[in-house]
Amino acid sequence: MSTLAQPAFVPDPEPPREPSFDVLGDFDEPWTAQLALDLLPETNGPKVEVLSGSVIVTPHAGYDHQTIELDLAYLLKQAARRAKLWLYHEVNVVSGDDLYIPDIVVLRSPGGGHVSMPISEAVLLGEIVSKGNRRKDVIDRPRQYAAAGVPFFLRADFRNRVPALALHELSDGEYRPVAAAAAGTTFVMKEPFEFTIDPADLLDEADDGAR
């Protein structure tokens, strides 16, 4: 009597793994920008960035920071579009294996339809200085963006609740200040597009009659 060969058992394929922050506790390899984009869920909550193989999670900053970021992004966006540039705030920017989420991002081409954009598309990156991240916003990020060749860096500060803006241009691998102003004076930017503002207009203050 002949014996029929039994078909080899083939297990059902595992369903695709849903993006989850649970993987942060299980993953013991260096992180890259692409791994974070593939394995971690999209979020409107804390910033999730990748730097030198580590995932950096940063909670939202305070009300002054958010007010300045939203108002500055709105006003800059209108000026950038007139120069045929595209402005976004808190979006994914990839530099090699690193993943940044700058407060302000100005691109040469639109980011519509993309989850992230390469840092080579950035014309200007900006950070609003937070009290808890002062070193990152003032020293670390400008150095990293300069190393990636981003032509302009914009910094907004509100130490002691006095808003100030400073624009830096890349020269010989380092950022050099080209325009700066504090509340009560006029900030004038000519490159990469024209933009003027009194930084005092960026911070919400209650009217005397509303107090």
Side-chain angles (χ1 to χ4, degrees):
M1 178 183 295
S2 62
T3 303
L4 296 176
Q6 297 295 318
F9 173 72
V10 178
D12 293 333
E14 292 186 7
R17 186 170 185 173
E18 290 293 323
S20 170
F21 285 115
D22 292 342
V23 73
L24 289 173
D26 304 331
F27 201 80
D28 56 5
E29 298 293 327
W31 281 88
T32 66
Q34 193 57 55
L35 281 171
L37 293 170
D38 289 343
L39 300 180
L40 300 179
E42 295 183 6
T43 174
N44 290 322
K47 286 186 178 182
V48 180
E49 301 174 291
V50 176
L51 181 62
S52 301
S54 297
V55 173
I56 311 297
V57 180
T58 308
H60 271 307
Y63 280 80
D64 284 346
H65 181 288
Q66 299 300 324
T67 295
I68 290 173
E69 180 178 330
L70 290 173
D71 288 353
L72 184 59
Y74 172 75
L75 296 169
L76 282 169
K77 185 180 184 74
Q78 298 174 71
R81 289 299 295 120
R82 289 193 289 270
K84 295 181 171 56
L85 297 170
W86 282 262
L87 185 141
Y88 305 90
H89 70 98
E90 295 194 11
V91 290
N92 298 317
V93 175
V94 175
S95 177
D97 286 337
D98 292 335
L99 173 64
Y100 300 118
I101 304 181
D103 292 322
I104 302 291
V105 177
V106 179
L107 302 175
R108 295 181 176 88
S109 57
H114 297 276
V115 173
S116 65
M117 291 291 279
I119 203 166
S120 58
E121 284 292 322
V123 176
L124 177 151
L125 296 178
E127 299 288 355
I128 290 90
V129 179
S130 297
K131 183 178 181 181
N133 291 316
R134 190 164 195 86
R135 176 185 170 83
K136 182 199 79 172
D137 296 330
V138 174
I139 298 175
D140 296 340
R141 287 303 160 86
R143 184 182 299 157
Q144 292 152 359
Y145 298 159
V150 179
F152 292 92
F153 174 71
L154 180 66
R155 183 173 65 241
D157 204 342
F158 54 95
R159 181 181 283 187
N160 299 323
R161 303 200 76 239
V162 178
L165 293 172
L167 177 70
H168 298 74
E169 184 174 9
L170 190 63
S171 176
D172 297 326
E174 297 182 353
Y175 284 125
R176 312 286 185 186
V178 292
T185 61
T186 302
F187 174 77
V188 180
M189 184 169 81
K190 297 187 180 297
E191 297 288 344
F193 51 87
E194 294 185 354
F195 175 74
T196 61
I197 191 174
D198 180 345
D201 295 338
L202 295 173
L203 200 60
D204 283 344
E205 294 291 355
D207 295 333
D208 290 340
R211 292 178 180 173

